Amino acid sequence: MKKEAVIFHELQGFWNSPILFWPVILIAASAWITYFLQYLFNISLIRSTSAHGLFIYWLLLGILLPLLLCTLTFAIEVRMDGLYIRLFPLNMHYKKISYETIAYYYPVHYSTIARFGGIGIRVNLQGEKVYNLGGNKGIEIGLTTGEKIVIGTNQDEALKRAIDKVRFR
């Protein structure tokens, strides 16, 4: 399968989202501090914890959670045959939105917490779907099926121009 030429590409990650970044860093740091205080100085911050329990706590919150979130990336691509989005590792393959299915699209400013209840792939009570890793800018896309999708982007105007360029060629 031949990959179409990419007109626009944006890559967002865990590192771009202070909402995710700082809490995870603080949790990971507390796991490391707790683990090493116990084993280097025999100071227990958690009561009645077995050595295995503390090791699992450190492994999950100090290593695996930060590694998982470091791989969390959101890619947006405008190609000649459609708009492609992927929130990796939740989506292994790109989701294609073909231009024939787009009824309208325009840049929006929104509150991801108020409108969708958080970040990631979410559907609100009105049936609107969001793909977002943080921020308050995006492109709202209305599909011919009546479905609404909001794609969070740091470059809303550039994304709209790229879609215009390809869609109205």
Side-chain angles (χ1 to χ4, degrees):
M1 185 171 146
K2 184 181 169 202
K3 186 176 175 182
E4 292 282 331
V6 176
I7 309 302
F8 173 89
H9 178 82
E10 181 182 359
L11 187 64
Q12 301 172 31
F14 161 72
W15 54 89
N16 296 114
S17 178
I19 293 172
L20 283 177
F21 183 76
W22 289 111
V24 169
I25 294 300
L26 292 174
I27 290 169
S30 72
W32 280 86
I33 290 167
T34 302
Y35 185 74
F36 283 105
L37 281 177
Q38 174 70 41
Y39 284 100
L40 293 178
F41 304 108
N42 203 22
I43 299 171
S44 180
L45 298 178
I46 302 173
R47 292 183 184 212
S48 67
T49 302
S50 69
H52 296 300
L54 186 59
F55 177 75
I56 290 170
Y57 168 78
W58 171 72
L59 183 67
L60 290 175
L61 297 180
I63 295 177
L64 294 179
L65 179 66
L67 282 177
L68 173 69
L69 289 176
C70 283
T71 64
L72 186 65
T73 55
F74 180 46
I76 305 166
E77 291 185 355
V78 175
R79 300 182 196 167
M80 295 302 284
D81 64 334
L83 178 65
Y84 289 77
I85 54 176
R86 178 176 73 173
L87 188 58
F88 183 83
L90 301 175
N91 303 117
M92 297 306 284
H93 303 285
Y94 280 94
K95 173 182 172 53
K96 177 184 174 185
I97 303 170
S98 74
Y99 298 122
E100 294 81 31
T101 62
I102 297 176
Y104 64 87
Y105 58 98
Y106 53 88
V108 293
H109 284 79
Y110 62 99
S111 168
T112 189
I113 302 295
R115 186 169 173 186
F116 296 101
I119 59 175
I121 302 172
R122 299 236 174 201
V123 178
N124 66 12
L125 295 174
Q126 290 77 33
E128 301 170 321
K129 185 182 276 189
V130 69
Y131 292 84
N132 189 1
L133 271 189
N136 64 350
K137 295 191 298 186
I139 296 286
E140 183 171 306
I141 300 172
L143 302 180
T144 54
T145 60
E147 183 181 1
K148 256 189 214 176
I149 299 173
V150 176
I151 298 173
T153 176
N154 296 323
Q155 306 172 38
D156 55 341
E157 292 294 335
L159 177 55
K160 182 184 182 311
R161 282 192 306 273
I163 296 170
D164 287 343
K165 179 180 175 182
V166 175
R167 192 163 183 232
F168 299 117
R169 60 181 150 82

